[in-house]
Amino acid sequence: MSETVANIVGTAAAICSITSFAPQAIKIWKARDASAVSLKTYSLTVTCFALWVIYGVITEAWPVTFANSCALVMAVIVLTMKWKFRDSKKDRPDVPDGP
C-alpha cells in the first residue's frame, strides 16, 4: 500500500475519532442533561486517549499524538459536562424523571 493511501486512511480515522464526540457534546450542552452518558465509559475513553497521547509522545508518532490529543479534549469536554450537569433533572421540574 502506498504511503499516500495510508496517510489518507489515517487522516480519515483521525477526523472520525475527533468529531465522533461532537454530537454527544452538543446534545448535552443544549439539554443541560448528561444523565444518559455513562460515567464509566467516558472515564475509560479519556484514559484510553491519554495513554495514546503518551504513546505518541514516547514514540514520536506526531500524527498519533495530535489526533488523540484532539479526541482527548473532546472526550474530556463530554466527561466534564457529565459532572457539571449530573443533577440537572433534579433541578428542572420540566424534565420527567422516568426511563
Side-chain angles (χ1 to χ4, degrees), residues 16-99:
C16 288
S17 291
I18 294 165
T19 60
S20 67
F21 296 96
Q24 185 72 68
I26 292 166
K27 181 179 179 185
I28 293 168
W29 184 255
K30 285 182 177 180
R32 300 288 198 260
D33 176 24
S35 60
V37 173
S38 168
L39 180 62
K40 290 179 184 178
T41 298
Y42 270 87
S43 296
L44 184 59
T45 300
V46 165
T47 302
C48 174
F49 284 126
L51 291 171
W52 273 115
V53 169
I54 293 167
Y55 169 82
V57 170
I58 290 170
T59 62
E60 297 182 5
W62 304 119
V64 170
T65 304
F66 176 75
N68 284 288
S69 293
C70 293
L72 175 61
V73 168
M74 294 295 291
V76 165
I77 288 169
V78 171
L79 191 60
T80 300
M81 286 192 292
K82 171 67 175 174
W83 178 78
K84 181 177 180 175
F85 300 128
R86 68 189 176 278
D87 296 326
S88 62
K89 283 192 176 183
K90 293 177 190 171
D91 298 334
R92 292 179 51 202
D94 61 316
V95 179
D97 287 333

Side-chain angles (χ1 to χ4, degrees), residues 3-20 63 66-67 71:
E3 186 175 335
T4 302
V5 172
N7 286 334
I8 290 170
V9 170
T11 300
I15 291 168
C16 288
S17 291
I18 294 165
T19 60
S20 67
F66 176 75

